[in-house]
Amino acid sequence: MSATQNKTGGMHPTTTGPLSFGSVKPNQGLQNAAKKSRADIIAEISASGMKGRGGAGFPTGVKWNLAAAAQDSTKYVICNADEGEPGTFKDRVILSEYSDLVFEGMTIAGLAIGARQGIVYLRGEYSYLRPLLEAVLERRRTQELLGESILGREGFSFDITIRMGSGAYVCGEETALIESLEGQRGEPRNRPPFPVDTGYMGHPTVVNNVETLAWAACILAKGAAWFKGIGTDKSTGLKLFSISGDCERPGVYEFPMGISISELLREVGGEDAKAVQVGGASGHCVPAKSFARTLAYEDIPTGGSIIVLGPGRDMLGIARNFLEFFVEESCGQCTPCRAGTVKLLEGVELLQEGRCSMKYLRELCALGETMQLASKCGLGQSSPNAFLSIVKEFQDEIMGRTDLAAAGKE
Amino acid sequence: MLVTEQDALRQEIKAWGDMYGRDRTALIPILQEIQRKHARISEYAMQIVADMLDIHPVEVYGVVSFYSFLDHKPKGRFVIRLCRTISCDMHDKDRVARQLQNDLGIRFGETTPDGRFTLEWANCIGMCDQGPALLVNDHVFTRVTPDKVHDILEGCRRAMGVHAQEQMQEQLV
Ligand SMILES: Cc1cc2nc3c(=O)[nH]c(=O)nc-3n(C[C@H](O)[C@H](O)[C@H](O)COP(=O)(O)O)c2cc1C
Ligand code: SF4
Ligand code: FES
């Protein structure tokens, strides 16, 4: 296959702006952590104010603290590298270029909570990264950065294994991920209990996003004050954004939390956008009139997927593509999600055919709101978001359509 | 399946069992190995795995049917998965899809009669900055244009030729 890769170019490099990950001294964070007590490591992470970079935005210090407090001699640290949210590819870039930092973050988390075993759950679509990651792990073992008595600290043992996903978006949800690791169908569990309490094989488990773990290593290297000094009060630090769609310079960018959408669009060459989809298929569609809004937990929270929608984009087509995604990826365990996504997709088709009454559209919106409340996991709770925001912001565009042929009905 | 093939499969699965362990957590890694090697997970393979891990075959089937990268139907040597999600969709994935169908003579979800190629849709494969993107087994191709489809397929055929020769030599030895 390598000949093919050369001839057709295979994959291309992803454009990245300057990333702080490149300027952190390797293993500085781990060395600093190894000199601290477990409580002090967690205190440092808590003081940074960092919230999880995977999308849900749970404070990382709190999560680590809960797992550290749990009474069990076996605990786990899981790196969530399932990156399946449409429009997200920052974790791929981090794993390709800064995997040491991710492993360092996992090792620090292991020390902090008292886990000896880490697992990277790598999505099947990223199988080609595995040899590289295994090689880095092997090197870290020979450098005594993994294994027994890491950096000479007695009792500090930690190792990392890689497990592959098999093509299921829902397995990015932390309890589905754990089910999958346990050899089951990737169906989300009821929460509580939370993984910090009852996680992998019933043991306390920290599940963190790839980026969260990399920042954790940076925070231990450069100090909580550095991180906290960036961003806003409620959304501290830096964040990676995966930017795609109708813009001149798609790629992975690092911005301080709290950046406005218009600033971001200027950086990537997408100023003429009609709307921006923030947070991927499960996120919200933000129209141009709201581009002054900011990407922050207190305004528009996001795992970093930004899809720029240019002036000519058909919003119904966007809604339809997202709903097709959810119909396919719903695990089917609960009715609001399983049946609801199908109903919403049928609704979009009616709209495309110009055959949807206002009354029915309202019913669909009510259904979407029910799904947000009644679905068992984040997939069904967020799958109506894009539809609802497109209906709200672009009602004029989507009603009374006469473009049956142009609407892509096959 | 020939008895010798069945034996070979059993030996292989035993070896993977030695590698990954014989508890439930080993199930998916073992299934992934079978899928990689045989481009499918046959009922016979599921039965061996179930016996080895001491679980019901229905449990194994339940797992195989859940994950889109595991399949009990035979797939081609090369599984081509074209991303149909938003960013690739916005970058003309439909034209690439059409060309793939034309050049392979099959539709999505089908396998060529010679068993070489399976054509499938993928959801976002994390290459959204360079769509349209597709996977050929574990390999990624990005910024695919309809005229590049032919080159990609030819590359597979060449790789297959080399591979087939190696296999024949193995069998001769
Ligand atoms: C359907 C669904 C898919 C998810 N996919 C991912 C994913 O691919 N990567 C990820 O880090 N988190 C994903 N999450 C969030 C995880 O459940 C979890 O909150 C996260 O891994 C915690 O890490 P963090 O606190 O470091 O962000 C997903 C959640 C849902 C509901
Ligand atoms: S909300 Fe959807 S994905 Fe989540 S458990 Fe229910 S059916 Fe499964
Ligand atoms: S949308 Fe096609 S790779 Fe992400």
Side-chain angles (χ1 to χ4, degrees), chain A residues 52-54 63 80 82-84 169 172-174 207-209 212 378:
Chain A
R53 269 26 184 172
K63 190 181 279 189
N80 189 339
D82 199 48
E83 187 161 65
Y169 164 72
E173 197 279 337
E174 56 187 15
V207 182
N208 273 136
N209 174 252
T212 309

Side-chain angles (χ1 to χ4, degrees), chain A residues 170 173 186-189 326 329-338 341 371 374-381 383:
Chain A
V170 71
E173 197 279 337
E187 291 170 348
R189 299 174 179 173
F326 287 119
E329 297 292 352
S330 163
C331 84
Q333 233 192 132
C334 64
T335 317
C337 169
R338 185 185 60 238
T341 46
M371 290 165 66
S375 294
K376 181 169 170 181
C377 86
L379 190 151
Q381 287 158 11
S383 58

Side-chain angles (χ1 to χ4, degrees), chain A residues 36-361:
Chain A
K36 287 180 191 281
S37 71
R38 289 167 52 182
D40 283 350
I41 298 172
I42 297 174
E44 193 78 29
I45 296 292
S46 298
S48 76
M50 177 168 57
K51 294 181 178 160
R53 269 26 184 172
F58 192 80
T60 307
V62 174
K63 190 181 279 189
W64 289 19
N65 219 348
L66 288 168
Q71 296 294 321
D72 197 329
S73 56
T74 306
K75 298 180 187 179
Y76 295 95
V77 174
I78 292 176
C79 169
N80 189 339
D82 199 48
E83 187 161 65
E85 187 62 51
T88 314
F89 45 98
K90 64 177 179 78
D91 293 344
R92 165 176 63 79
V93 169
I94 297 171
L95 291 168
S96 306
E97 292 173 34
Y98 305 104
S99 60
D100 265 294
L101 215 47
V102 179
F103 297 144
E104 197 186 327
M106 289 179 76
T107 313
I108 293 168
L111 177 59
I113 70 162
R116 298 165 55 92
Q117 183 61 49
I119 304 171
V120 177
Y121 187 88
L122 182 66
R123 66 185 307 214
E125 291 84 345
Y126 289 173
S127 289
Y128 56 91
L129 289 176
R130 186 168 185 175
L132 167 85
L133 297 178
E134 294 283 7
V136 172
L137 287 176
E138 200 44 51
R139 170 171 51 70
R140 292 186 72 82
R141 284 182 197 113
T142 61
Q143 289 173 310
E144 295 180 4
L145 300 168
L146 286 175
E148 305 290 320
S149 306
I150 293 170
L151 293 173
R153 175 164 169 167
E154 201 160 324
F156 179 13
S157 306
F158 192 74
D159 212 327
I160 297 174
T161 50
I162 299 176
R163 291 278 306 270
M164 302 306 299
S166 263
Y169 164 72
V170 71
C171 286
E173 197 279 337
E174 56 187 15
T175 62
L177 187 156
I178 289 169
E179 285 287 314
S180 176
L181 284 176
E182 292 178 358
Q184 308 286 344
R185 296 160 66 88
E187 291 170 348
R189 299 174 179 173
N190 279 321
R191 302 186 313 166
F194 291 95
V196 285
D197 178 49
T198 309
Y200 181 55
M201 304 304 285
H203 296 291
T205 303
V206 158
V207 182
N208 273 136
N209 174 252
V210 171
E211 185 188 346
T212 309
L213 291 160
W215 286 123
C218 296
I219 289 165
L220 264 296
K222 298 173 89 156
W226 158 75
F227 198 81
K228 202 173 167 50
I230 306 168
T232 72
D233 278 355
K234 288 194 178 124
S235 308
T236 60
L238 296 157
K239 169 94 190 78
L240 265 53
F241 292 87
S242 314
I243 296 163
S244 67
D246 300 316
C247 61
E248 280 159 37
R249 296 176 294 279
V252 170
Y253 290 78
E254 174 183 294
F255 295 125
M257 294 295 296
I259 187 176
S260 71
I261 296 176
S262 50
E263 278 172 279
L264 178 145
L265 287 173
R266 250 196 315 281
E267 293 289 330
V268 305
E271 293 95 328
D272 63 346
K274 164 184 183 178
V276 166
Q277 178 72 19
V278 180
S282 58
H284 293 269
C285 191
V286 183
K289 68 173 194 295
S290 307
F291 282 176
R293 292 186 65 183
T294 60
L295 303 172
Y297 299 107
E298 64 272 25
D299 193 354
I300 311 178
T302 169
S305 164
I306 303 284
I307 301 160
V308 184
L309 305 170
R313 288 293 163 198
D314 169 13
M315 302 312 288
L316 270 184
I318 306 290
R320 179 177 174 151
N321 188 283
F322 288 152
L323 285 165
E324 284 171 344
F325 171 80
F326 287 119
V327 167
E328 168 117 344
E329 297 292 352
S330 163
C331 84
Q333 233 192 132
C334 64
T335 317
C337 169
R338 185 185 60 238
T341 46
V342 173
K343 274 267 169 253
L344 293 186
L345 177 58
E346 286 167 4
V348 168
E349 285 167 0
L350 279 183
L351 285 162
Q352 286 188 318
E353 293 165 17
R355 298 199 291 122
C356 185
S357 68
M358 185 56 96
K359 179 160 173 282
Y360 190 59
L361 186 61

Side-chain angles (χ1 to χ4, degrees), chain A residues 12 92 167 184-185 328-329, chain B residues 62 67-68 84 123 126 130 142:
Chain A
H12 299 78
R92 165 176 63 79
Q184 308 286 344
R185 296 160 66 88
E328 168 117 344
E329 297 292 352
Chain B
Y67 294 94
S68 62
R84 65 169 156 199
N123 284 325
Q130 350 181 343
T142 62

Side-chain angles (χ1 to χ4, degrees), chain A residues 1-5, chain B residues 77-78 116-117 136-137 139 141 151-167:
Chain A
M1 284 301 294
S2 55
T4 332
Q5 295 250 314
Chain B
R77 264 290 138 211
F78 296 99
R116 287 187 180 184
F117 294 99
V136 180
N137 297 346
H139 296 263
F141 295 86
D151 293 342
I152 293 173
L153 298 181
E154 274 308 300
C156 295
R157 292 197 177 98
R158 264 199 309 280
M160 177 108 167
V162 174
H163 192 71
Q165 265 172 7
E166 275 170 9
Q167 272 191 339

Side-chain angles (χ1 to χ4, degrees), chain B residues 1-19:
Chain B
M1 216 188 286
L2 294 170
V3 178
T4 46
E5 280 177 42
Q6 288 189 349
D7 276 346
L9 187 60
R10 195 175 305 116
Q11 289 312 318
E12 253 170 22
I13 292 174
K14 288 245 150 59
W16 286 319
D18 293 341
M19 198 162 134

